[in-house]
Each structure stands twice: as C-alpha cells, then as structure tokens.
Amino acid sequence: MTRPYITLSCAMSLDGYLDTEAPRRLAMSNAEDFDRVDQLRADSDAIMVGASTVRRDNPRLLVRSERRRMLRRAAGRAETPVKVTVTASGDLSPESAFFTQGDVEKIVYCPRGDSARISRALGSVATVTALGDQVTMAAVADDLAERGIRRLMVEGGGRMHTQFLVEDVADELQLVIAPFFVGESQAPRFVGEGRFPWNASRRARLTETRPIADVVLLRYALSHRFDAERGPGDEPQGPPDGERPV
C-alpha cells in the first residue's frame, strides 16, 4: 500500500529555533503565512504533531477558514483533518484542545507495552494504536495508509521533524524563516541530532523560494514523489483570514 504524501511544515528563527524558552508561544510567522498553512491543512487528510507540542502549545489543529471548511464538506470530507500524535509516556491530557476541538478522529500511536495504560488514561477521546516495541515514523505512515490517509502534514515539533527526516520517509519540507533571532540555548530547535540522509554529498533539492511579507518560504523536495504528485500548497491563496493557526 502506498504511504501518504508527507509534508513537513515548520517556521523557525534565523538561528534555527521553533520558539523561546518561555511558556508563552512565540509567533514565528505572519498573517499571510498563517493563511498559507491553513490551506495546507485543508489540503491534508491528517495533521501530526508530537506529544510535547500537544503539551506545550495546546494546539487545536483546525482548518480556520470557513470557505475551506465548506469546500471540504462539499467534497464529502470532515471539516478538519484527522489528528495524529505519538507518545511513549502517555502524558497527555484528555482535556487538551487536540482531543476536544474538532469532530474528527484523533489517533495516538504508542509502543506496544504502553498501549493498555495509555488507553485507560485517554478513555474514549482517542484511538490508541500500538506499533511495535518502539514507534517509527515509517510504521506510522504505513498504518495511516491502511486508514485511507493520502496526505499527511507534520507540524512538529523538533523531535517529530527529526524522526521523519532521519528515517527518510518525508516527501517535502516547507520551511519558513522568520526575520529575527531567538538566542536561547534551551529553546526548542527545528531538529535535533541525527544521521540525516541529506548532507554535503546528498543535497536536498530547493524547488521554491517565496517571500511572504517579512518571512521567506523555502520548499524542498525530499523524494521523487514531489514531482510525481502535485504537492499541497500549489494552489493560489485567497485573501488571508488574519488568524494564526494553532
């Protein structure tokens, strides 16, 4: 079965940080780019974030634009994509917006040995799925394919991006650069340490550079499927809704 087309979506500072050390989330982008991200969400069948992102940012992961929700309904789809996360600790609140916002399935992947405990903790708010002794992103992609997911958008955080990149299962990276520095050593970074397939001898292919007000979108092809299948974000964008996706 063909895996979903996987797009990694990230906004970072000039020095590679996703946020600050402070509990309050730092907006890396602007209204125009938030609208672009909302279109990417609307084009996706599922959105994935790491458990640490669920805890730190409490994201809703909803399609914000009413027009885009209407188009999804007209196509026989749910208003917002399926939500996906991965955890080993099970430290997830059933009351978080990830679970309470949006009338869509929420899937929580975990190691086999932790599934019973995590299922009891989350109750009916999510579908808890065990994937081996350790969860790999390749196994997640395979399971989502069996569920009919054709396009997966990965919104972070850094650990998720690192795993997808190191395992070489992503098809595309959409990286937005904010025009400022963070400069805090304990702030979360775009990626952590790892043996990445893209290095000095195998460079990722830059396919687009797009200024969006005061930020820049860099779009990289990470697999042959980028050319074989039209990727999300190619459609012209409508007027920005001016609301930051969370």
Side-chain angles (χ1 to χ4, degrees):
M1 185 172 293
T2 303
R3 287 174 177 169
Y5 184 93
I6 299 173
T7 300
L8 308 184
S9 176
C10 175
M12 71 178 192
S13 65
L14 286 170
D15 49 347
Y17 290 99
L18 301 175
D19 209 337
T20 68
E21 297 174 357
R24 187 176 183 274
R25 188 181 178 199
L26 174 65
M28 288 286 173
S29 197
N30 54 46
E32 292 90 338
D33 188 58
F34 292 142
D35 189 65
R36 179 193 64 82
V37 171
D38 196 56
Q39 180 65 57
L40 183 57
R41 285 183 179 179
D43 289 336
S44 302
D45 300 312
I47 304 173
M48 183 173 179
V49 295
S52 59
T53 299
V54 175
R55 290 189 292 268
R56 179 184 174 92
D57 297 338
N58 195 29
R60 292 171 291 179
L61 303 181
L62 305 177
V63 174
R64 302 299 307 177
S65 164
E66 172 57 34
R67 176 179 61 85
R68 292 175 183 133
R69 293 197 301 268
M70 179 187 67
L71 290 173
R72 286 180 62 93
R73 290 195 302 268
R77 308 165 74 191
E79 286 191 351
T80 199
V82 171
K83 300 182 189 182
V84 183
T85 192
V86 175
T87 183
S89 69
D91 183 17
L92 293 169
S93 170
E95 302 302 318
S96 67
F98 179 92
F99 298 112
T100 61
Q101 299 292 307
D103 187 18
V104 293
E105 185 177 16
K106 291 87 178 180
I107 303 173
V108 177
Y109 290 107
C110 66
R112 184 182 297 111
D114 301 298
S115 61
R117 172 177 56 83
I118 294 172
S119 294
R120 289 193 298 271
L122 293 179
S124 62
V125 301
T127 300
V128 177
T129 302
L131 289 180
D133 295 331
Q134 289 188 327
V135 178
T136 67
M137 298 308 102
V140 167
D142 289 340
D143 187 80
L144 289 174
E146 293 181 1
R147 297 173 187 271
I149 300 300
R150 291 191 61 253
R151 291 189 180 275
L152 172 65
M153 176 186 183
V154 181
E155 291 202 38
R159 183 175 298 177
M160 282 288 93
H161 288 140
T162 301
Q163 288 181 267
F164 272 99
L165 290 168
V166 167
E167 292 185 36
D168 199 3
V169 293
D171 298 292
E172 177 177 349
L173 170 63
Q174 296 191 12
L175 183 64
V176 165
I177 310 298
F180 55 81
F181 296 86
V182 171
E184 299 174 4
S185 62
Q186 299 305 308
R189 298 191 70 94
F190 164 43
V191 291
E193 295 181 358
R195 294 179 63 86
F196 296 96
W198 299 275
N199 48 50
S201 59
R202 184 196 177 195
R203 297 176 180 242
R205 178 162 58 94
L206 179 64
T207 64
E208 180 183 1
T209 303
R210 188 197 313 173
I212 306 174
D214 65 344
V215 304
V216 176
L217 168 66
L218 303 177
R219 194 171 177 189
Y220 292 92
L222 303 181
S223 83
H224 66 279
R225 297 207 299 172
F226 182 92
D227 296 314
E229 182 174 341
R230 185 170 182 165
D234 291 326
E235 295 297 331
Q237 305 298 300
D241 294 342
E243 191 164 2
R244 173 187 174 192
V246 293

